[in-house]
Amino acid sequence: MTNLPASNTAFSWDAFLSLGFRPFYLAGAAYAAISLPLWVASVFGVIEINGPLEGVLWHSHEMIFGFGVAILVGFLFTAVQNWTGRKTPNGFALGGLLALWLAARVLLFAGGGAIGQVLDLLFLPLAALGIAIPLLQAKNKRNYFTVGLLLVLAVGNALFHAVALDLLNYDSSDVFLWAIDVFAIFITVIGGRIIPLFTNNALGVKRAVRNQRLEDAIGVGMLLLLVSDIYWGMSYEAATLRAVLLLVLGGLHLVKIGLWRPHITLKKPILWILPVSYAWLPLALLLRAGALLDAPWDQVLAIHAITVGSMAGMMLAMMTRSALGHSGRPLIAGWVEVAIYCFIVSSAAVRVFGILFFPQAYFLELAVSAACWVAAFLLFCAKYWSILTRPRADR
């Protein structure tokens, strides 16, 4: 094996802050591995979370507006630069955003009060500005929606903090629900573009099919879902009407997955993890529909199908793939990547199906699911620390 130059073997701030995926993938993965055990420890009464967001409020907020937005922003900063050919935040600007995000995480946990909340509220608008400028400069209208969705998340974050401060009489679980809807829209749109593209490029033949009319129909349906969840939240009002929407959407998503012919990806883990992760989305929609129609489970089950199965699964799939590709390495999943994928799928399966079929073992299942989650993200950090903090392997 050819030895890399000395400049390629040590931590490099220039490399680390050169593009958004590097610091935010690493920071988001590390936070995922740290924050969930803290939450589980609080459930078992080992520790108390005494920041401005307490208990389950902190857990809900940090899964979306801590871990989730870090990975999303890292992806968007990287993708928008590719889409437009214009620079997204890098260097000191990127480092400043990372420091802002990190300070908010520490202060919200440690009891930083209003300072932590203000810093947290600043992050998403600044991140939205970081992608809005290159998109507008390039007149890349196709992807303007990404700015709008980040701003919707920013509004949701503000509502979350307003509820925590008793400034607003609103259920925080409703905000959590439609924030998840925003991530589901990102998965729907971006996944609908890249999964058949990556599959066909890797296999050398056009076997995965993308139907634009179906994509448009699902996109409209997901927006309707977001609007309905903003209006009704986690309540059971208009349950039949909303269940019908969820059932139709779930069915359309399944048709979409079928057109990709996911079985053709089975020999390539870096491919099969994408449709497998995406499939948790229609499963979640169907579980929510069932809950609204008085099935013997709660809507929370569907929430975890999306957050653990679809969100985290798609994130790890894209984190491994883009980190390898942008660092000049082959797009091949080794045993570490396969273990990462298996751990996150197992975490979702235990958290959803374990609770569904064996609710009496809730605490054991919670611990097992959390352990699989932590293993997935710790493995990512261990494998990708050197990749994300050093110059490209081909330079």
Side-chain angles (χ1 to χ4, degrees), residues 196-208 264 268 271:
L197 176 66
F198 290 167
T199 300
N200 292 333
N201 285 348
L203 299 179
V205 289
K206 189 175 181 181
R207 301 173 70 184
I264 66 178
K268 292 184 178 291
L271 292 180

Side-chain angles (χ1 to χ4, degrees), residues 97-151:
L97 281 171
L98 178 66
L100 180 66
W101 176 87
L102 181 59
R105 306 284 68 78
V106 173
L107 291 172
L108 288 178
F109 179 79
I115 297 176
Q117 291 177 291
V118 169
L119 294 180
D120 188 51
L121 289 171
L122 287 173
F123 179 73
L124 277 168
L126 290 174
L129 184 63
I131 64 170
I133 291 173
L135 286 171
L136 289 170
Q137 288 176 337
K139 298 181 181 179
N140 191 298
K141 297 180 181 179
R142 184 189 187 207
N143 293 302
Y144 284 177
F145 79 95
T146 57
V147 179
L149 289 178
L150 280 186
L151 293 177

Side-chain angles (χ1 to χ4, degrees), residues 196-233:
L197 176 66
F198 290 167
T199 300
N200 292 333
N201 285 348
L203 299 179
V205 289
K206 189 175 181 181
R207 301 173 70 184
V209 176
R210 183 177 188 273
N211 186 298
Q212 188 58 52
R213 288 186 178 180
L214 180 60
E215 295 286 344
D216 293 342
I218 294 174
V220 170
M222 295 300 291
L223 287 173
L224 287 174
L225 178 63
L226 173 60
V227 172
S228 70
D229 285 344
I230 290 174
Y231 188 76
W232 284 300

Side-chain angles (χ1 to χ4, degrees), residues 5 11 37 88-89 159-160 167 171 175 225 228 233 247 314 366 374-375 395:
F11 179 95
T88 50
L159 288 176
F160 222 108
L167 299 176
D171 193 331
V175 182
L225 178 63
S228 70
L247 288 170
M314 285 292 289
L366 179 64
V374 171
R395 290 181 182 174

